[in-house]
Amino acid sequence: MPANLSFDALKAAVAAGEIDTVVTCIVDMQGRLMGKRFHAQHFLDSAHEETHCCNYLLATDMEMVTVPGYKATGWEAGYGDYVMKPDLATLRRIPWAAGTALVMCDVLDHHSHKPVPHAPRSILKAQVDRARAMGFDVMMATELEFFLFEESFAGLFDSGYRQMTPMARHNVDYSIWGTSRDEPVMRDIRCKLWDAGIPIECSKGEADAGQEEVNARYSDALDTADMHALIKLGCKQIADQHGASVTFMAKYHHSKAGSSSHVHQSLWKDGKPAFRDDADAHGMSDLMKHYMAGQLAHAAEITYFLAPYVNSYKRFVVGMFAPTKAVWSLDNRTAGFRVCGEGTKAVRVECRIGGADLNPYLACAALLAAGLDGIDKKMALEPAISGDIYQAGNVREIPRTLGAAAAALHGSAMLRAAFGDDVVEHYHHAAQWELSEQNRVVTDWELARSFDRA
Ligand code: ADP
């Protein structure tokens, strides 16, 4: 789906004094929008061609630390520039920011103007192109869960995240009454994202106090990833305007539910769903079965892109709706891969492994790469598993730690072939840095556990 503002319409809106600011964004390794705010006239005059950013933006951690050891850049290379090339098909009005439009940019090499291979948007585009060369359009949707708090972002930062009050006080899963106090923020989120050209389907209360989910209609994978990044920005900025805050951490507290980002996927050919076969008992085509077989075979290798931080792995607990086993099942929420829309034209696979902290470009690209490998190799789909899969013995587990997922990523011939060795090494380095930081830092847990008891 195209965004809601053409370049000509932007020109007219600027001339009419409706828009004065254009935000140009790239996507960083954490899936965040990073860039510049342009005066709209300067964007129209020149910056729409290209602008620039420091190449450290694809080599920092969550806290913008200049991580040593990347091949792509570093102090020794002087941290030069990347080209930010606006993708004008993504121009949107941003209704929650006065007089503002936003455009996504591709990251290009400063000298060659070729796509930077480890840029998340480049990685996803390459896999989508690969699917297209095989004759398929890739449709995806990324559900997004988060927690909504009464306190502001600044207030929580200043208090060291000590006084956190979930907007709703108890489990509000599907509860219309229970989410009433969330509704001023949630209504604004739904309506303003809609007016930004993001087809929001719904929001709903989720399985813990203050937890919400927002869903946008499925679209081609790149558009879905762009929407996902923008939905996160919108939720944060709109919550902030209400003096509230949200978190997309996979697990903000060990006693609370985790937040997921389930990825729904289907391939289409000539405008028709290629995963559908009415002759099959479950309405699933052979193509869908090969695709799912590829994702199951490579589940451990792609887990890093679905769960990229130490914290991500704290979500995988038994009995809290997050999966622990990389198996498939029909409409069963205890499986890592769940077939939805069985026997309909919307038959699709939902990967439930990802947390709300995933980078949607990398997650969609890794899932696609694994699925396409299954199609290339005509992999056979193992039998479905049913019942309470948390209790199933002798089945494929989701890696339990970031270290295990990073090792599987590093050893993945499939991902090395799909993304290239340098890209795999780049993200493996990011994982190693995360692990070394976790090993270095003394946590609140250690202090509380041992201070007067050790
Ligand atoms: P659930 O049962 O998980 O709540 P929903 O009906 O809410 O499922 O759909 C979840 C997501 O799946 C939505 O974002 C929807 O747009 C998306 N979706 C529906 N059909 C398809 C499809 N054929 N391919 C990919 N995603 C789809």
Side-chain angles (χ1 to χ4, degrees), residues 12-20 99:
V14 174
E18 289 168 22
I19 289 180
D20 53 58

Side-chain angles (χ1 to χ4, degrees), residues 139 141 143 201 216-218 264 266 333 338 346 348 350:
M139 294 298 162
E143 300 177 17
E201 291 185 343
R217 185 178 155 75
Y218 70 94
H264 292 251
S266 59
R333 287 189 165 82
R338 165 185 173 228
R348 60 192 185 272
E350 176 196 42

Side-chain angles (χ1 to χ4, degrees), residues 204-374:
K204 66 176 276 292
E206 270 293 326
D208 215 325
Q211 199 178 23
E212 285 276 352
E213 173 181 289
V214 64
N215 285 324
R217 185 178 155 75
Y218 70 94
S219 185
D220 69 79
L222 185 65
D223 189 31
T224 284
D226 286 344
M227 291 195 290
H228 180 119
L230 199 51
I231 290 170
K232 282 181 71 175
L233 179 74
C235 288
K236 285 182 172 172
Q237 291 187 325
I238 292 167
D240 194 46
Q241 290 166 3
H242 286 261
S245 57
V246 296
T247 184
F248 294 95
M249 284 181 72
K251 195 88 173 171
Y252 90 89
H253 193 276
H254 52 269
S255 70
K256 308 288 181 188
S259 290
S260 314
S261 180
H262 303 151
V263 185
H264 292 251
Q265 312 154 64
S266 59
L267 296 184
W268 293 57
K269 202 175 179 76
D270 305 325
K272 296 206 181 75
F275 276 4
R276 183 183 196 184
D277 180 356
D278 290 336
D280 179 75
H282 304 297
M284 296 161 59
S285 66
D286 285 346
L287 185 84
M288 178 173 185
K289 292 178 187 172
H290 296 322
Y291 184 88
M292 287 176 60
Q295 296 194 338
L296 291 165
H298 298 302
E301 297 153 55
I302 63 175
T303 294
Y304 168 72
F305 292 113
L306 299 163
Y309 307 108
V310 171
N311 178 260
S312 313
Y313 293 80
K314 300 184 177 171
R315 193 181 130 251
F316 299 129
V317 289
V318 170
M320 288 184 95
F321 285 101
T324 56
K325 307 277 166 57
V327 296
W328 80 278
S329 193
L330 292 153
D331 194 15
N332 180 325
R333 287 189 165 82
T334 64
F337 296 85
R338 165 185 173 228
V339 170
C340 302
E342 198 187 333
T344 73
K345 75 174 177 35
V347 64
R348 60 192 185 272
V349 57
E350 176 196 42
C351 172
R352 297 177 57 82
I353 299 173
D357 54 350
L358 56 68
N359 178 326
Y361 300 83
L362 302 176
C364 292
L367 283 164
L368 188 51
L372 294 181
D373 192 55

